[in-house]
Amino acid sequence: GNFASLFEVNSLFDLIMVIDASIKAKNPNQKYFSMHALHLSNQAGLGLSEQQIKNEANSSFTNNFDQTLEDLLDGRYQFADGSIPSGLSADLLIAYGLRNFGAHQITSVPTVWRRYPEIRQALFNIMFLTVEVLY
């Protein structure tokens, strides 16, 4: 329900703050999570570009957060160039979208309460990738 979704978004946001701080420690000249996500992508060889993260994914999340999250989880999200992020690339975009959403919204998201375990796993994947690649 709505309350559970709010609680789940908050707990996911806490995990993302750990990821954010961990990447920032290795990328101290950047302020925004989009640039930390780009740094991790570059270091891990995920192939995401600044355009894809800051413009395309951000725009998609802004226009329809729930659908973008669902599309990333299901492997249906597509960039303008036709490429489809998968695996850790999709997980990193999920972290990016939730980071911005959690910082600026207080609202229930159906995909979060329906697919919380998958989303939580995506974030743990990025946390572990951060440690593996940057530390």
Side-chain angles (χ1 to χ4, degrees):
N2 287 340
F3 178 75
S5 176
L6 292 171
F7 177 78
E8 289 169 341
V9 167
N10 190 46
S11 69
L12 294 171
F13 185 72
D14 289 344
L15 180 56
I16 294 167
M17 293 289 78
V18 171
I19 295 167
D20 190 356
S22 298
I23 300 171
K24 183 178 175 82
K26 300 296 182 173
N27 191 35
N29 295 328
Q30 297 297 325
K31 179 178 178 182
Y32 298 106
F33 189 73
S34 60
M35 297 311 292
H36 297 321
L38 180 63
H39 179 71
L40 181 60
S41 175
N42 290 340
Q43 295 301 307
L46 300 181
L48 293 172
S49 69
E50 185 174 354
Q51 165 71 25
Q52 290 171 323
I53 296 169
K54 286 179 67 174
N55 297 337
E56 293 184 53
N58 188 52
S59 178
S60 294
F61 277 118
T62 299
N63 291 332
N64 190 335
F65 179 83
D66 199 49
Q67 187 63 55
T68 302
L69 182 58
E70 189 90 23
D71 288 347
L72 282 164
L73 288 166
D74 290 337
R76 292 189 311 254
Y77 183 82
Q78 188 171 2
F79 290 118
D81 67 4
S83 65
I84 297 172
S86 63
L88 291 170
S89 296
D91 292 348
L92 184 55
L93 292 173
I94 289 167
Y96 171 71
L98 283 166
R99 164 63 176 87
N100 287 344
F101 184 84
H104 302 288
Q105 302 290 326
I106 301 175
T107 186
S108 175
V109 181
T111 299
V112 171
W113 57 263
R114 282 195 330 264
R115 300 185 70 178
Y116 179 78
E118 291 171 83
I119 296 166
R120 183 186 60 216
Q121 185 60 56
L123 297 182
F124 276 121
N125 292 345
I126 296 305
M127 185 175 71
F128 298 142
L129 180 67
T130 300
V131 172
E132 180 181 323
V133 171
L134 301 180
Y135 291 84

